[in-house]
Amino acid sequence: MAKIHYIYDTESCKYVRDERSTSDIILNTMMFLSVTIGLSVGLILLYTNYFESPKELLLRNDVREIEFEIAELELRINTLNTVLADLTYRDDRVYRVVLGAEPIDKSIREAGVGGSARYDDIRKKQFAHKEAIIKLSESIDKLRRKVYIESKSHDEIVQLAVSKEKLFAAIPAIQPISKNKYTLTSGFGNRFDPITHIFGPHPGIDFAAPSGTPIYATADGVVDVTEIAFTGYGKKVEIDHGYGYRTRYAHMNAFIVKVGQSVKRGELIGYVGSTGHSTAPHVHYEVFINRAQVNPIYYFFNDLNPTEYAKIIELASVENQSMGM
Ligand SMILES: [Zn+2]
């Protein structure tokens, strides 16, 4: 049985029977609820538009951090590129020039690292800063390739330096006698022979020094001739230095090396004497390049200062008498 409701009528000042139907009440309630829900949704939308949730705030901070880190990485890559550019410059303009190698072609250094498909995996993904990450990956790959090429170039330079070191060690570069122990008596060229009294070619330099003065190898090499003779060069030593260089030391009092023996520049090989075709103790010194005798004066550069060098050139150019051969 439905309940009977009374409401107070203010006009008649009496309680009268409530004539509103149940459906009216439901309708009113529904309207009230709709307005309330509408207002609430409106308020929530308003709030979320103007204020961030803690999760959103966290995400926004994350994004800011990522942007900051990307910018930092770009800076670091730029610094590495600058350092590498300096290494590349020195490689091409100094090391390769000194060692006689061609600079590496720019197109090789700047070559790409493969097609655009390389970053397809990243492109397929959906996330913010995708393009920035692809750009970063490209920069790193380019840098990696440049470093690889530079490291290969350095390997080559090291190889060249090692072989050049051997070459430099093989070039006669000092005098066979200590510089304050001799007198230069005869230079390279036509000289008067004191024994035959003939004016003829003198294919070496004569260093006059007391008998027994040490004679040194003028470059690294292998002794390939030792000879004892009573004429000509007398007691002599010849050293093969490789790369076409050879030296000859003649009129020795004695030699202390054997054929096949390796010697270093500055190593004692024998002593000054006056054996063979000679008039007084001296060492007759010859330098050969590819079997041709050259003026040894140009192969003393290691142990003379410019003044001493100028003096020795002047002395060697005076046409005088040789001390034998
Ligand atoms: Zn001589």
Side-chain angles (χ1 to χ4, degrees), residues 202 205-206 282 284 324-325:
H202 182 237
I205 282 182
D206 290 344
H282 75 288
H284 169 94
M325 286 185 76

Side-chain angles (χ1 to χ4, degrees), residues 277-319:
H277 189 89
S278 170
T279 54
H282 75 288
V283 62
H284 169 94
Y285 174 61
E286 291 177 20
V287 174
F288 293 76
I289 298 177
N290 298 326
R291 298 185 182 182
Q293 285 133 320
V294 292
N295 194 341
I297 202 82
Y298 302 114
Y299 295 89
F300 297 157
F301 39 78
N302 263 23
D303 58 349
L304 293 177
N305 66 38
T307 317
E308 290 169 329
Y309 195 63
K311 193 179 164 200
I312 210 167
I313 293 235
E314 190 195 328
L315 281 170
S317 65
V318 176
E319 287 196 0

